[in-house]
Amino acid sequence: MSKKEVVLKKTNDRCGYCGCPLTLSQVSVGHIISKNKGGDNLIENLIAACRSCNGSKGDRTLAEYRLWVRWQDICREQSFSVYQLIWLIENTDFTDRFPRDDVEFYFETMGWI
């Protein structure tokens, strides 16, 4: 079995973030902890993702990506970066003015992180 197949099986042939079904030809293997932030290529740090989720996560941490997913409509509309968003959340009443449900990634529902 290839590394890509092993990673896809970890999430039951689904995107580890949004949970959409994936085939081997559709899967994009991503890093839970990005390589530029100290992550490695071990199976434990790899996750099956759809191209949309893997592209939007980029090198963000899981916490940053969770914020991005939760608030992406406002970020895109206002052209906020994730760092500007964090500042707004920490220093203003942003979350009270724009309430959102918490985000739980598919792999978290599986209980492996």
Side-chain angles (χ1 to χ4, degrees):
M1 205 181 264
S2 72
K3 188 180 260 192
K4 191 175 186 179
E5 290 171 311
V6 171
V7 171
L8 183 58
K9 292 299 173 202
K10 278 179 29 177
T11 55
N12 298 324
D13 299 330
R14 294 187 171 276
C15 173
Y17 298 115
C18 72
C20 74
L22 295 171
T23 64
L24 191 59
S25 64
Q26 295 170 320
V27 69
S28 177
V29 176
H31 294 84
I32 296 169
I33 300 171
S34 300
K35 288 180 73 175
N36 68 353
K37 293 189 177 166
D40 54 37
N41 286 326
L42 297 176
I43 294 292
E44 296 78 20
N45 189 46
L46 299 178
I47 190 164
C50 66
R51 285 179 172 80
S52 176
C53 285
N54 200 32
S56 62
K57 180 182 180 286
D59 69 348
R60 294 180 174 111
T61 66
L62 284 178
E64 290 169 346
Y65 186 49
R66 186 181 318 281
L67 285 175
W68 175 254
V69 170
R70 189 175 182 191
W71 303 97
Q72 65 184 317
D73 59 329
I74 292 175
C75 288
R76 287 185 176 140
E77 183 180 302
Q78 301 298 324
S79 298
F80 292 151
S81 72
V82 71
Y83 305 106
Q84 290 169 314
L85 176 63
I86 291 168
W87 186 92
L88 287 169
I89 289 170
E90 291 175 350
N91 296 286
T92 71
D93 64 347
F94 185 82
T95 56
D96 293 331
R97 292 179 52 211
F98 303 101
R100 295 288 192 279
D101 291 333
D102 286 334
V103 172
E104 184 175 43
F105 296 123
Y106 177 75
F107 73 88
E108 294 170 320
T109 69
M110 299 176 65
W112 61 270
I113 282 191

